[in-house]
Amino acid sequence: MRISPSSLHARPVQGLRPTRFSTQDRVMGTLLFILVAVFVLAGQQALQIARQDADDALHMQASAQLAALSQAVADPAIVGDYIALQTLLKTPIAQGNLRYVEYTAPNGRVLREEAPARRADRPGWFAALAGLSIPVMQTPLVIGGSAHGSLEIQPSARSHEDFLWHLGTRLFVLLATAFALLGWLTHVLLKINLQDLTRLRAAAQRIEAGDYSARIPLRASSPPELRQTTRAFNHMSAALERLLTDLNEQREALDSTASVAESDLAGNITSANELFCSISGYAREELIGQNFRIVSSGQHDAAFFNDLWETISGGQTWRGEICNRARDGRLFWTAKTIIPIKDDDGQLLKYLSIHFDITQRKLNEAALSEEKERWQVTLQSINDAVIVTNARNQVDYINPAAEVLLGVALEDAVSNPLKILMQLDQWGDDDAPACFLSATPALHGQTGSAQLQTRSGHHLAVSYSCAPLTGLGGIGAVYVLRDETEKKQLLDNLREMAFHDTLTTLPNRRAVEGRLARAMHTARDQTQQHAFCYIDLDQFKLVNDTCGHSVGDTLLMDIALTMKAALPDHAYLGRLGGDEFGLILFDTQPAVAIQVCRQLVQRIRDFRFEHKGRRFTLGACAGIAPITQDATTPGGILVQADMACYRAKSEGSGRVMLYEADEVGFRRLEAEMGCAADFVQALEANQFLPYRQRIQPTSSSGQPHYEVLIRWQRNGVVEGPAKLLPALERYGQAPILDRWVLETVIAYLAAQPDDNAVYFINLSGKTVADESFLGTVCHLLDHYGVAGERLGFEVTETAAVVNLEDAQRLIHGLRERGCQFALDDFGRDASSFFYLKHLPADFLKIDGAFVRGMLDDHRDQAIVRSIAQLARDFGMNSVAEQVENAKMAALLRDMGVDYLQGYHIHRPEALPRWQPVTGTRPTHAPHLISID
């Protein structure tokens, strides 16, 4: 909404625009008035002089005529000839010099002659204007001393009036001509010199029309005062243009931030800007002519509006906050200013309303009020002591918990310095909190612990936190105190428990790791050498499973006492968890550590434990890791000792082994650990490749089979699983790989419907024991639409025997879906016909160690032949692994082996046309390759 030029310039332009006469007219009128006055005064003065002269001449003429007439009538008067007298009296009348003449005889007879009335050539009013004094002259006729009557005459002023008339007309013509010439010259001069006023009027009219750039050129020929006036007008126009530009910019800024409306004295809206329409939701056409009640919300009472109208109707500005209702029913708040607009006489014309939208501020204030109330309730209800201070660290507020903790009421605490209300002392290694004692609040957040001395003399352990608080009153702070006395007592009790095993009272794993870190520190700084021993009990699980965990706990306590009694003074023994113990031998060489561990293992072996008539003998293995200057972390030492113990345990019970970084077995074990650590990343990067090796039937009627193998494409080289599988078995990651292979093979079979071979997948022992694996297989078969007859599974004899019930459940479940089952590496371990009887496998795979040596060893031939016969007797098919040449294949056929597998039959190859499984995984089964 822009500023109307007419509204701003109506009054100034009216002052510049002539209302009736122009300047030139006024000058000419004034001049004419002066000239007329001069003319009148001059004519009057001339007429006065001429009248005086005419009066004098008239008297002289009358005197002369009277004297002449007296002489002429003397004789007739003496004789009393009245006829002669009458004739003589007519003579001067006829000459036109007298108006009348009258003779009075002594006897009283009167003879009178009057001049006849004649029409004059001049106006009748001129005689009155001339105002000549016509005398009446009388003289007695005394002749010879005798009176003969009297003579009276009145002269005629006609000739003198004619003279004055002719004189006046000539003088008038002369003066009128002179005055007309003077007026014309004045008019010309004014017209020439007042052209700047015309341009000034034209420029003012342009400004009135809205052209604020109008300027008047300065002329050198203009009078100085007009040049000054023109220059002042141009300055005024430029200033006005700048002022209007600024006003329009301010108006635009106001329109963009505030809603503006005007109303008449009755409150009816006469104009509204776009923002007012936008906020109210009404179009401008809907608002114009409507009363402001159209946006009334009903939230304010009558007294509110009475005060408003009383203020503005009295000519005063009203300011306040008002709630309105938009067209859609939405409430909105505005900070409103109503300004009465008055005319020049001080009478009210209209009202100007300026509104700033404060709806969000009102919502924020309401939310803040609710939040404040909520926090006040919260502060009232929490158990922590809360103290709020001002910029001088004087108390502004304390909650009830602080009243109880400090022993002072709120009204007594307010305005008191914080340091007067409490006394904090140093607690432990923490410094006393200076922020509580300072005359100014904390500038930064602080936390800590201290000891609080209450007014009653009690000492309480407290934890505190303080944070700066900024506001209108300056910087304050919020302090929170929590009574930690009971917690500290509990922590003191738990601290001892945290570093000791509750069962054996030995130091726990955390304490051992802490002491191990100290040992590494002394080894690094003082060049000392220590040893860490990892001790793992054997056959402890048998006691737990047979007698129960409570008995196992008793056994652990007795073993701990036995071990502790056998150790030297400089040894530090702790329980790492389960049946595993950690031993730190300070300032001990590896050879001495080996000797100590052997004695300790022997003491454990000699220990006898009896329960309800049963006697149990335990064993133990120990791994030793030297602690030298090169030691890295406590975790690394634990891993080294664990690896040594694992190696010792793999060689049999009662072994002790020292970790040697360069020893082949440890390097291989570390390599396996590295494989296990890289397994997850390799699986996510699709580095594993599925291969297959054909299992060839020895008869033409047999169905071809394939065993699925795994290769690892790492660092550009395809590696076999020799290092990977033992690591996955050891660290429990083998089921992850089994599930990946399962989905990979089923997806591949779904993509190869014409492939009628059976693909066998190897399963780890933990996968066999996993109750959810059977459901996963069934779900994948259904998801990909693959028949179970196209799928087979292999499990080692050892894994099946260890998990017999799980293996039976899995085999029965898989065979119900049409899947086949093979017992792998049969004959490697001490087999049991009882187990074989309860494992309904479809195939017995003869361990390759027997097949490789059967050409040179008749015993291997006998074993292979007996296993093949055993398979037939159990209704199973036999499979010979690692068939390396044709002679070996022929011998196996002669023995009646049903299937052959080996490099002579088929070298492993990648699955043809295989693509990694991508896209959406089945959602109704556990994730197939999720990392547990």
Side-chain angles (χ1 to χ4, degrees), residues 297-453:
S297 64
Q299 300 292 317
H300 304 283
D301 56 14
F304 176 85
F305 290 104
N306 290 337
D307 175 70
L308 185 154
W309 280 105
E310 182 179 350
T311 301
I312 62 177
S313 61
Q316 298 178 350
T317 300
W318 183 88
R319 293 180 178 86
E321 297 177 354
I322 190 167
C323 180
N324 297 320
R325 187 179 301 276
R327 182 176 183 179
D328 58 3
R330 171 182 50 87
L331 294 178
F332 63 95
W333 281 86
T334 60
K336 189 171 185 177
T337 300
I338 305 178
I339 305 172
I341 306 298
K342 303 177 181 180
D343 60 10
D344 294 337
D345 298 329
Q347 298 298 319
L348 289 178
L349 292 177
K350 57 184 178 180
Y351 299 120
L352 175 65
S353 300
I354 303 175
H355 313 254
F356 290 94
D357 187 4
I358 58 171
T359 305
Q360 188 59 46
R361 193 195 78 188
K362 283 292 186 178
L363 294 176
N364 293 340
E365 288 177 354
L368 185 61
S369 177
E370 293 178 1
E371 188 70 14
K372 179 180 179 181
E373 183 177 357
R374 182 162 51 250
W375 278 110
Q376 286 180 343
V377 173
T378 302
L379 290 176
Q380 294 288 334
S381 60
I382 63 176
N383 293 326
D384 292 344
V386 180
I387 306 171
V388 181
T389 63
N390 57 22
R392 295 184 298 276
N393 217 22
Q394 296 174 338
V395 175
D396 281 343
Y397 171 80
I398 61 175
N399 69 341
E403 292 180 311
V404 174
L405 185 67
L406 301 179
V408 59
L410 172 62
E411 54 272 14
D412 297 332
V414 172
S415 301
N416 283 318
L418 186 61
K419 62 182 179 181
I420 296 179
L421 302 180
M422 61 176 62
Q423 181 178 348
L424 294 177
D425 301 325
Q426 183 176 347
W427 180 23
D429 297 333
D430 295 336
D431 295 332
C435 59
F436 286 85
L437 309 178
S438 173
T440 58
L443 298 179
H444 304 285
Q446 300 180 26
T447 59
S449 301
Q451 189 176 64
L452 172 67
Q453 183 175 350

Side-chain angles (χ1 to χ4, degrees), residues 217-235:
L218 293 175
R219 295 190 309 127
S221 60
S222 298
E225 61 272 13
L226 283 179
R227 287 202 303 271
Q228 294 174 1
T229 302
T230 302
R231 187 179 294 108
F233 180 87
N234 289 337
H235 290 166

Side-chain angles (χ1 to χ4, degrees), residues 347-571:
Q347 298 298 319
L348 289 178
L349 292 177
K350 57 184 178 180
Y351 299 120
L352 175 65
S353 300
I354 303 175
H355 313 254
F356 290 94
D357 187 4
I358 58 171
T359 305
Q360 188 59 46
R361 193 195 78 188
K362 283 292 186 178
L363 294 176
N364 293 340
E365 288 177 354
L368 185 61
S369 177
E370 293 178 1
E371 188 70 14
K372 179 180 179 181
E373 183 177 357
R374 182 162 51 250
W375 278 110
Q376 286 180 343
V377 173
T378 302
L379 290 176
Q380 294 288 334
S381 60
I382 63 176
N383 293 326
D384 292 344
V386 180
I387 306 171
V388 181
T389 63
N390 57 22
R392 295 184 298 276
N393 217 22
Q394 296 174 338
V395 175
D396 281 343
Y397 171 80
I398 61 175
N399 69 341
E403 292 180 311
V404 174
L405 185 67
L406 301 179
V408 59
L410 172 62
E411 54 272 14
D412 297 332
V414 172
S415 301
N416 283 318
L418 186 61
K419 62 182 179 181
I420 296 179
L421 302 180
M422 61 176 62
Q423 181 178 348
L424 294 177
D425 301 325
Q426 183 176 347
W427 180 23
D429 297 333
D430 295 336
D431 295 332
C435 59
F436 286 85
L437 309 178
S438 173
T440 58
L443 298 179
H444 304 285
Q446 300 180 26
T447 59
S449 301
Q451 189 176 64
L452 172 67
Q453 183 175 350
T454 65
R455 289 190 171 187
S456 60
H458 294 88
H459 293 273
L460 302 176
V462 296
S463 62
Y464 66 87
S465 65
C466 55
L469 180 65
T470 58
L472 297 178
I475 299 179
V478 176
Y479 301 90
V480 180
L481 299 173
R482 176 175 293 178
D483 187 357
E484 304 284 4
T485 305
E486 183 178 353
K487 179 180 177 181
K488 183 177 181 298
Q489 295 174 352
L490 181 61
L491 286 177
D492 291 341
N493 296 332
L494 291 178
R495 185 174 289 108
E496 183 68 20
M497 297 172 60
F499 292 96
H500 286 81
D501 178 48
T502 57
L503 180 64
T504 62
T505 69
L506 293 175
N508 60 11
R509 187 183 190 93
R510 178 182 297 178
V512 171
E513 290 177 351
R515 189 60 64 92
L516 185 58
R518 281 192 240 172
M520 292 176 60
H521 180 75
T522 57
R524 199 165 39 244
D525 297 343
Q526 302 176 15
T527 64
Q528 295 181 352
Q529 186 169 6
H530 315 295
F532 177 73
C533 309
Y534 195 102
I535 303 167
D536 188 5
L537 300 181
D538 297 332
Q539 305 301 323
F540 176 73
K541 186 175 184 301
L542 179 60
V543 177
N544 267 344
D545 295 343
T546 304
C547 305
H549 289 279
S550 60
V551 177
D553 292 343
T554 304
L555 174 59
L556 283 177
M557 290 187 289
D558 294 343
I559 288 291
L561 293 175
T562 300
M563 295 171 64
K564 197 171 183 180
L567 292 175
D569 295 337
H570 60 276

Side-chain angles (χ1 to χ4, degrees), residues 3-18 199-215 233 236-237 240-241 244:
I3 296 175
S4 171
S6 61
S7 64
L8 285 178
H9 298 287
R11 297 184 183 277
V13 173
Q14 286 176 0
L16 296 175
R17 182 192 304 157
R199 287 193 292 270
L200 181 64
R201 180 177 61 187
Q205 290 173 346
R206 289 173 57 190
I207 292 176
E208 181 181 13
D211 182 8
Y212 307 116
S213 63
R215 303 291 187 272
F233 180 87
M236 179 200 71
S237 179
L240 180 61
E241 183 179 14
L244 289 177

Side-chain angles (χ1 to χ4, degrees), residues 676 679-680 683-684 728 731-739 766-767 770-773 776 926-932:
F679 167 68
V680 174
L683 193 62
E684 293 176 350
L728 297 183
Y731 294 102
Q733 294 176 308
I736 301 174
L737 182 61
D738 291 347
R739 291 172 181 257
K766 290 189 176 181
T767 300
D770 186 357
E771 296 181 356
S772 65
F773 183 73
T776 300
H927 197 288
L928 301 180
I929 56 173
S930 61
I931 301 171
D932 298 329

